[in-house]
Amino acid sequence: MRLVLASNNAKKLAELQALFAALPLEIVAQGSLGVPEAEEPHATFLENALAKARHAARLAGGAAIADDSGLCVDALGGAPGVVSAHFAALALPAGEREAQRRVQDEANNALLLQRLQGHADRRARFVSTLVALRSADDPEPLVAVGRWPGVILAQRSGSGGFGYDPLMFIPALGRSVAELDAATKNAHSHRALAAAQMLNLMRDAWHLG
């Protein structure tokens, strides 16, 4: 069964291919089928993931899966939430994508620390919402949510990962996400938790595996 990933992120594609390797699925990126990026105008991870999955399923003419994820901080009412990747509003000049991401990440982290000044409650969680559809008009979307709880540090720690990883301390592991090796991160992450749920849902509802 072909499953179109509503993303052109090569790392996300490889990660989901590995996580769903036990199922008879061929997961392909939407860009390889000429499907453009979908709009993400909604206020929740669920609505954005559903919109992206429907968009990919409609244009590709088959099953699709989408992920919407980000950081939710209790003291900020759940912010940055769906705008996690662009929390700090920057007008970046055209340039190499990886360099732009590093600049954006640095600005996002600085803004998060600024917003949390004076707050004693620094609890937060990474959230990943996966939505899978058999077709664009599937009345029974499969929904899986992974939550990875932690605490926002007062300063960055670790050089690995990306985004908010240097500020997100995981008490259960005694390290920041940026201090974890890739294998440990992938085994415990919010996306891994959501994927494990989705794998079981696909086995039960789609009779795969």
Side-chain angles (χ1 to χ4, degrees):
M1 177 181 182
R2 187 184 74 178
L3 187 65
V4 178
L5 173 62
S7 171
N8 293 317
N9 186 313
K11 290 183 178 179
K12 186 178 293 187
L13 175 63
E15 184 177 355
L16 288 179
Q17 285 173 331
L19 290 167
F20 290 106
L23 299 181
L25 291 172
E26 177 196 6
I27 305 179
V28 299
Q30 63 181 8
S32 67
L33 302 175
V35 177
E37 298 280 351
E39 295 294 323
E40 302 176 47
H42 303 292
T44 68
F45 299 122
L46 175 58
E47 291 171 297
N48 282 332
L50 184 57
K52 289 189 285 187
R54 281 180 173 154
H55 172 82
R58 182 175 296 110
L59 295 184
I65 188 168
D67 162 75
D68 203 51
S69 55
L71 176 71
C72 293
V73 181
D74 287 352
L76 302 182
V82 297
V83 298
S84 291
H86 303 283
F87 188 35
L90 296 180
L92 295 174
E96 196 268 320
R97 186 170 182 176
E98 188 64 20
Q100 289 184 325
R101 184 182 64 77
R102 287 194 294 269
V103 172
Q104 183 71 61
D105 286 352
E106 182 66 23
N108 290 341
N109 281 306
L111 179 58
L112 178 61
L113 290 175
Q114 178 187 331
R115 293 281 179 85
L116 280 176
Q117 285 182 359
H119 287 283
D121 182 1
R122 302 180 77 88
R123 291 173 297 175
R125 68 208 140 273
F126 280 131
V127 179
S128 170
T129 299
L130 284 173
V131 172
L133 303 167
R134 291 166 292 187
S135 64
D137 57 357
D138 189 344
E140 187 188 6
L142 302 184
V143 179
V145 181
R147 293 180 174 88
W148 198 15
V151 177
I152 302 300
L153 296 168
Q155 59 186 19
R156 299 162 183 77
S157 181
S159 58
F162 59 92
Y164 301 96
D165 289 358
L167 289 179
M168 184 65 156
F169 180 80
I170 308 299
L173 299 175
R175 286 173 284 174
S176 76
V177 176
E179 294 172 317
L180 301 175
D181 60 81
T184 301
K185 179 181 177 181
N186 291 340
H188 293 86
S189 76
H190 48 310
R191 189 168 292 117
L193 294 170
Q197 292 177 28
M198 182 60 74
L199 187 146
N200 289 328
L201 288 171
M202 287 179 168
R203 282 176 167 153
D204 291 342
W206 290 7
H207 311 298
L208 296 177

